[in-house]
Amino acid sequence: MALHSFHLTANWPGLRNDVGTINTANLHTKISIPPEMDGPGIGTNPDEMLLGAAATCYIITLAAMLERSNIEKECLTMTSEGIVDITKGIITYKKIIHRPHLVLCSEKDLGVASKLVQKAESSCMISRALKGNVEIELEANLEVN
């Protein structure tokens, strides 16, 4: 078994509605509570970061699966939506919806690519970490150019 560690340094100099920072090897940004939760909305926030982790993991996993299957694509883009429930002051991350748009070069790859679009979600490390806590839904759009 090989283990790898990722490291993050956080600094929060003030109280609830102040602004902090996070730094990793490749990410340096301000953080605060989003305006939807009565915060200042400066930089990013945990909700966006969870959505970003799930989205980047999914699209990279899908691209790797397409490559291993020798499926040529013209483009792969995606939008993702994170749905958070705020009820009586309790905040719950309910669902993530990924909407990948895959344009293939050949009609012959459509069947396999369609299966890989589904398989990438269950193969992604972040999706597996969220399983049982946050529902992940796919609304895929596949086409051939």
Side-chain angles (χ1 to χ4, degrees), residues 44-122:
T44 192
N45 59 69
D47 307 288
E48 287 179 343
M49 291 185 64
L50 182 62
L51 181 60
T56 55
C57 186
Y58 173 82
I59 201 166
I60 290 169
T61 300
L62 177 55
M65 290 177 152
L66 293 168
E67 180 180 311
R68 280 193 299 268
S69 297
N70 295 313
I71 294 177
E72 290 186 47
K73 62 177 176 52
E74 186 169 302
C75 72
L76 172 59
T77 59
M78 186 170 76
T79 62
S80 293
E81 177 182 1
I83 299 171
V84 176
D85 178 29
I86 306 170
T87 303
K88 297 181 182 175
I90 298 172
I91 303 166
T92 306
Y93 218 112
K94 299 300 265 183
K95 182 193 288 192
I96 292 173
I97 305 168
H98 295 310
R99 296 179 178 99
H101 180 212
L102 174 60
V103 180
L104 299 168
C105 296
S106 172
E107 181 98 27
K108 70 176 176 52
D109 294 327
L110 198 54
V112 174
S114 182
K115 289 177 185 165
L116 293 178
V117 163
Q118 298 297 320
K119 187 177 178 182
E121 189 274 313
S122 61

Side-chain angles (χ1 to χ4, degrees), residues 22-30:
I22 57 170
N23 292 286
T24 68
N26 295 300
L27 175 65
H28 312 282
T29 189
K30 292 179 180 181

